[in-house]
Amino acid sequence: MENDLSYHVEEAARAEEEVSVLKAYVEDIKRKVSDMVVEANTDNAELNKLITENTKLKHRLAILSIAIAEEQMQSKPTISDSSKMESITDILHQLFHTAICAAFPDITDPPVVIAVAASNPKFGDYQCNSAMPIANIYKQSGKKVTPRNLAQKILDNLPSHPMVEKCEIAGPGFINIFLNRDYAVKKLQAIFQNGVQPPTVERKKIIIDFSSPNIAKEMHVGHLRSTIIGETIARLLEFLNFEVHRINHIGDWGTQFGMLIAHLQDRFPDHLEKMPPISDLQSFYKEAKERFDEDEEFKKRAYDSVVKLQSFEPKHIKAWKLICDVSRKEFQKIYDRLDITLKERGESFYQTRTEKIVKELEEAGFLENDDGRKIMWGDESTTVPFTIVKSDGGFTYDSSDMAAIKHSFANRLQEEKADWVIYVVDSGQATHFQILFACAKKAGILDPKKHRVDFVGFGVVLGEDKKKFKTRSGDSIRLVDLLDKGLEKALDKLKEKGRDKVLTPDELKRAQESVAYGCIKYADLSHNRNHEYIFSFDKMLEDKGNTAVYLLYAFTRIRSIARTANFTPEKIKELSKKENISLEHEKEWKLGKVLLRFPDEILKTLNDLYPHHICEYVYEIATTFTEFYDSCYCVEKDSSGDIVKVNYGRILLAEATAMIMEKCFHILGLKPVEKM
Ligand code: ARG
């Protein structure tokens, strides 16, 4: 076996070498052909000869590619019994790509279309729908072919793989793909030994900038979305084993601190010795603002304070720190309640770095004088410039973001030097980030060949009146109040269901928190983040439909199935060594296939950073489980309630379902409880 294997590996390597030589040769000929076409006086006979030769070579190349694909599959038996679920779409894509390139060597970049099949099991589990578009390509070049024949040609060239049981051509030329159930059992079974593992991706360093509220201003529902969506994306990336740095780019620097410090000096003259008892920073801010607007002398002192702060005068720095601390404590309370982790790196961190980058931009000639301001233009995609220096010499949100992006991507001394930076900020700031990316590219900080940047925007939160979410008096709603309200409503809901009578006070409290924070997060995450959504406790606490409450209940019920049959997680692990997950019954197979999609759903979300994919997926798991449970007994009891038969394969299927749901819950920040 060992020898066999190394023989195959060597063979594959040799074949690969031959292919690359041939590829280079084909490329060369291609170049020659196109040169000849350009020169109008090409000798036609010569050209035709070359074209024929080119086609022949491509054909030979294709045959070799299939050979390599098959060699590699044989030489890597680990593919099929590896401990990980794999992306089914990726494998099918590879297989069909090989087949299609081999079948149609005369088409460059042929379309490879793979889809999950519709629910009727007759049509297989997945489909390859490439034959139709390929027929179109031929039609355009005047060749008449039928898609069915093309589909047959694809199948003739398809390498074998343990995942694929069989393929059938249907209708005008669809290829229905049937998965092998033993393969599926093996993949799902691996969960019991290794847990739910992520698909393999290339490791990257990622900075994700999210939450980012402003000091001395209350965190409001707008920041709530950034916090929830950012945390979920960070969890997804961490699950995929990326190196993730969660950055809280708080607004902790700027002219508003002048009036806050001046007001602090007046209200609490002893603040340098004694921590000032500011309980409500928002009204403190309001008071300061009122004085600033009405009192000329105060205004002057406020301006002086800004200058002193910006030159790092120690007393002013101390006062500034005190104010930041009060806010920080308030933010932390919210983060603790919602289980959010962040590292603070606010605007103040970039103050000196901003000075540096402004100088660099200036020296490189990127700045333009505009009526006393120094501005920088991005590229043709942007119509507004960045204001890098204000006419009074001060810096702006724009300039500190330039310093921040430089710090992320291009700082040589930086341990976090990132490959990828993600900004989770409301869609109102889309233009700001578009300009930021354009300017960073222009300044050579952001290199699209090496770096990835994403602006993850989101819509506003609306009240039930479909207007911007506000209190009755028109103030923006404070996050703390919202969370408290959530707790109250969640408890009402649990009591309505009589849960207070069966749960211990401790269990009830845990269920209450799980439901309250879970429903707030889930309502946010389950909507396409680009859209606005209506904040309604009544809707999010419904126990039917795609809500956290429904899912948390469904999960608890699934876990209780094994418990009824006296199976602890450890016993299930033992059981899985002797028994296989059962995927025979039509409903078992349907559920199994949904579970096998887990890697694909994760990769899809990684690709576009839309967390609602995971919500839809976990909801599909829950509803498919119900379908299974309605028609398949897991534990059979007699009329007196005694267990007469346990279907072990189904207990295992239920447990695999719970484990995958649990992983999704973790990414979404939902905390399931054993009892609710
Ligand atoms: N503090 C800002 C705000 O509340 C959000 C900051 C987002 N991050 C950034 N790098 N600009 O609008």
Side-chain angles (χ1 to χ4, degrees), residues 14 49 52 61 120 124 127 187 234 244 280 336 347 380 437 447 457 473-474 526 555 598 603 637 672 675:
R14 251 198 302 281
K49 230 169 78 193
T52 322
L61 189 68
N120 188 339
Q127 287 185 330
K187 286 291 160 189
V244 181
D280 184 351
D336 287 344
E347 287 171 16
E380 10 4 279
F437 300 161
D447 175 358
S473 56
S526 58
F555 177 81
F598 176 74
L603 292 174
K637 290 181 181 172
K675 279 188 189 167

Short mmCIF file of all heavy atoms in Angstrom, two decimals, residues 14 49 52 61 120 124 127 187 234 244 280 336 347 380 437 447 457 473-474 526 555 598 603 637 672 675:
data_model
loop_
_atom_site.label_atom_id
_atom_site.label_comp_id
_atom_site.label_asym_id
_atom_site.label_seq_id
_atom_site.Cartn_x
_atom_site.Cartn_y
_atom_site.Cartn_z
N ARG A 14 5.00 13.44 -12.09
CA ARG A 14 5.53 13.40 -13.45
C ARG A 14 4.52 13.95 -14.44
O ARG A 14 4.82 14.78 -15.29
CB ARG A 14 5.87 11.95 -13.82
CG ARG A 14 7.39 11.69 -13.90
CD ARG A 14 7.68 10.43 -14.68
NE ARG A 14 7.04 9.25 -14.11
CZ ARG A 14 7.50 8.58 -13.05
NH1 ARG A 14 8.58 8.98 -12.44
NH2 ARG A 14 6.87 7.51 -12.59
N LYS A 49 -3.01 25.17 -39.82
CA LYS A 49 -2.20 24.07 -39.30
C LYS A 49 -1.95 24.26 -37.80
O LYS A 49 -2.10 23.36 -36.99
CB LYS A 49 -0.86 24.02 -40.05
CG LYS A 49 -0.53 22.62 -40.56
CD LYS A 49 0.65 22.62 -41.52
CE LYS A 49 1.98 22.72 -40.82
NZ LYS A 49 3.08 23.03 -41.77
N THR A 52 -5.08 23.70 -35.73
CA THR A 52 -5.32 22.27 -35.53
C THR A 52 -4.36 21.71 -34.49
O THR A 52 -4.76 20.97 -33.57
CB THR A 52 -5.09 21.48 -36.85
OG1 THR A 52 -5.56 22.28 -37.92
CG2 THR A 52 -5.80 20.15 -36.82
N LEU A 61 -3.75 17.72 -23.39
CA LEU A 61 -3.63 18.35 -22.08
C LEU A 61 -4.81 17.95 -21.18
O LEU A 61 -4.66 17.62 -20.01
CB LEU A 61 -3.63 19.87 -22.28
CG LEU A 61 -3.32 20.73 -21.08
CD1 LEU A 61 -1.88 20.55 -20.68
CD2 LEU A 61 -3.55 22.20 -21.41
N ASN A 120 -37.21 17.44 -4.62
CA ASN A 120 -37.62 16.11 -5.07
C ASN A 120 -36.41 15.18 -5.22
O ASN A 120 -35.54 15.42 -6.04
CB ASN A 120 -38.33 16.26 -6.43
CG ASN A 120 -38.97 14.96 -6.87
OD1 ASN A 120 -38.58 13.89 -6.40
ND2 ASN A 120 -39.93 15.06 -7.76
N GLY A 124 -31.95 13.93 -7.76
CA GLY A 124 -30.61 13.84 -7.20
C GLY A 124 -30.42 14.82 -6.06
O GLY A 124 -31.38 15.46 -5.60
N GLN A 127 -26.79 19.26 -8.65
CA GLN A 127 -26.91 19.27 -10.11
C GLN A 127 -25.73 19.99 -10.74
O GLN A 127 -25.20 20.92 -10.16
CB GLN A 127 -28.16 20.02 -10.54
CG GLN A 127 -29.44 19.27 -10.27
CD GLN A 127 -30.64 20.03 -10.82
OE1 GLN A 127 -30.63 21.25 -10.88
NE2 GLN A 127 -31.65 19.29 -11.21
N LYS A 187 -18.59 11.14 7.04
CA LYS A 187 -18.31 12.54 7.32
C LYS A 187 -19.04 13.03 8.57
O LYS A 187 -18.47 13.75 9.39
CB LYS A 187 -18.73 13.42 6.13
CG LYS A 187 -17.81 13.28 4.94
CD LYS A 187 -16.48 13.92 5.25
CE LYS A 187 -15.42 13.38 4.32
NZ LYS A 187 -14.08 13.80 4.69
N ALA A 234 -16.56 38.30 13.70
CA ALA A 234 -15.31 37.95 14.39
C ALA A 234 -15.35 36.48 14.83
O ALA A 234 -14.37 35.75 14.69
CB ALA A 234 -15.11 38.86 15.59
N VAL A 244 -7.48 36.89 14.49
CA VAL A 244 -8.44 38.00 14.44
C VAL A 244 -8.13 39.03 15.52
O VAL A 244 -7.91 38.68 16.68
CB VAL A 244 -9.88 37.47 14.64
CG1 VAL A 244 -10.89 38.60 14.56
CG2 VAL A 244 -10.20 36.40 13.61
N ASP A 280 -24.32 60.22 35.17
CA ASP A 280 -25.00 60.32 33.90
C ASP A 280 -24.19 61.25 32.98
O ASP A 280 -24.35 62.46 33.00
CB ASP A 280 -26.41 60.87 34.14
CG ASP A 280 -27.21 60.90 32.86
OD1 ASP A 280 -26.62 60.65 31.77
OD2 ASP A 280 -28.42 61.17 32.94
N ASP A 336 -20.48 43.24 28.48
CA ASP A 336 -20.57 42.07 29.36
C ASP A 336 -21.90 41.37 29.19
O ASP A 336 -21.98 40.16 29.12
CB ASP A 336 -20.38 42.48 30.82
CG ASP A 336 -18.93 42.85 31.12
OD1 ASP A 336 -18.06 42.50 30.30
OD2 ASP A 336 -18.69 43.50 32.16
N GLU A 347 -9.63 56.96 18.54
CA GLU A 347 -9.04 58.00 17.70
C GLU A 347 -7.79 58.61 18.33
O GLU A 347 -6.83 58.97 17.64
CB GLU A 347 -10.07 59.09 17.41
CG GLU A 347 -11.14 58.63 16.43
CD GLU A 347 -12.31 59.61 16.30
OE1 GLU A 347 -12.18 60.78 16.72
OE2 GLU A 347 -13.37 59.18 15.79
N GLU A 380 -11.46 57.89 -9.67
CA GLU A 380 -12.67 58.32 -10.42
C GLU A 380 -13.96 57.81 -9.78
O GLU A 380 -15.02 58.36 -10.01
CB GLU A 380 -12.70 57.92 -11.89
CG GLU A 380 -11.77 56.99 -12.63
CD GLU A 380 -10.69 56.25 -11.92
OE1 GLU A 380 -9.61 56.82 -11.65
OE2 GLU A 380 -10.93 55.07 -11.66
N PHE A 437 -10.71 53.95 1.08
CA PHE A 437 -10.04 52.87 0.34
C PHE A 437 -9.34 53.44 -0.91
O PHE A 437 -8.22 53.05 -1.23
CB PHE A 437 -11.02 51.77 -0.07
CG PHE A 437 -11.71 51.09 1.10
CD1 PHE A 437 -12.90 50.37 0.93
CD2 PHE A 437 -11.17 51.17 2.38
CE1 PHE A 437 -13.51 49.75 2.01
CE2 PHE A 437 -11.80 50.56 3.47
CZ PHE A 437 -12.98 49.85 3.29
N ASP A 447 -2.72 47.64 -0.98
CA ASP A 447 -2.34 47.01 -2.24
C ASP A 447 -3.34 45.90 -2.56
O ASP A 447 -3.31 44.84 -1.94
CB ASP A 447 -0.93 46.42 -2.08
CG ASP A 447 -0.50 45.65 -3.31
OD1 ASP A 447 -1.30 45.52 -4.26
OD2 ASP A 447 0.65 45.16 -3.31
N GLY A 457 -21.51 47.34 5.73
CA GLY A 457 -22.49 48.35 6.12
C GLY A 457 -23.78 47.70 6.60
O GLY A 457 -23.96 46.50 6.47
N SER A 473 -40.61 60.50 23.60
CA SER A 473 -40.27 61.92 23.66
C SER A 473 -39.31 62.32 22.55
O SER A 473 -38.88 63.47 22.48
CB SER A 473 -39.68 62.24 25.03
OG SER A 473 -38.57 61.41 25.25
N GLY A 474 -38.95 61.36 21.70
CA GLY A 474 -38.13 61.72 20.54
C GLY A 474 -36.63 61.57 20.75
O GLY A 474 -35.85 61.84 19.86
N SER A 526 -30.64 38.09 11.50
CA SER A 526 -31.38 37.30 10.52
C SER A 526 -31.89 38.14 9.35
O SER A 526 -32.35 37.60 8.36
CB SER A 526 -32.55 36.58 11.20
OG SER A 526 -33.38 37.52 11.82
N PHE A 555 -33.77 23.48 19.77
CA PHE A 555 -32.49 22.91 20.20
C PHE A 555 -32.65 22.14 21.51
O PHE A 555 -32.18 21.01 21.66
CB PHE A 555 -31.46 24.03 20.35
CG PHE A 555 -30.14 23.55 20.84
CD1 PHE A 555 -29.23 22.97 19.97
CD2 PHE A 555 -29.79 23.66 22.18
CE1 PHE A 555 -28.01 22.51 20.42
CE2 PHE A 555 -28.57 23.20 22.65
CZ PHE A 555 -27.68 22.62 21.76
N PHE A 598 -23.01 22.27 6.01
CA PHE A 598 -22.40 23.19 6.97
C PHE A 598 -21.14 23.90 6.44
O PHE A 598 -21.07 25.14 6.47
CB PHE A 598 -22.13 22.45 8.29
CG PHE A 598 -21.42 23.27 9.32
CD1 PHE A 598 -22.09 24.27 10.01
CD2 PHE A 598 -20.07 23.07 9.60
CE1 PHE A 598 -21.43 25.03 10.96
CE2 PHE A 598 -19.41 23.83 10.55
CZ PHE A 598 -20.09 24.81 11.23
N LEU A 603 -18.48 28.88 4.36
CA LEU A 603 -17.63 29.51 3.35
C LEU A 603 -18.38 30.61 2.60
O LEU A 603 -17.80 31.63 2.24
CB LEU A 603 -17.10 28.46 2.37
CG LEU A 603 -16.10 27.47 2.99
CD1 LEU A 603 -15.73 26.37 2.00
CD2 LEU A 603 -14.84 28.19 3.47
N LYS A 637 -41.87 4.22 23.05
CA LYS A 637 -42.33 3.92 24.41
C LYS A 637 -43.66 3.16 24.33
O LYS A 637 -44.39 3.32 23.35
CB LYS A 637 -42.56 5.23 25.17
CG LYS A 637 -41.27 5.96 25.49
CD LYS A 637 -41.56 7.24 26.26
CE LYS A 637 -40.26 7.97 26.56
NZ LYS A 637 -40.48 9.28 27.14
N PRO A 672 -27.59 28.72 24.15
CA PRO A 672 -28.69 27.80 24.48
C PRO A 672 -28.58 27.35 25.94
O PRO A 672 -27.49 27.34 26.50
CB PRO A 672 -28.45 26.62 23.54
CG PRO A 672 -27.02 26.68 23.19
CD PRO A 672 -26.60 28.11 23.26
N LYS A 675 -32.35 23.66 29.84
CA LYS A 675 -33.81 23.61 30.07
C LYS A 675 -34.40 24.99 29.86
O LYS A 675 -33.84 25.98 30.31
CB LYS A 675 -34.07 23.21 31.52
CG LYS A 675 -33.98 21.74 31.78
CD LYS A 675 -34.47 21.53 33.19
CE LYS A 675 -34.24 20.11 33.67
NZ LYS A 675 -34.44 20.06 35.12
#
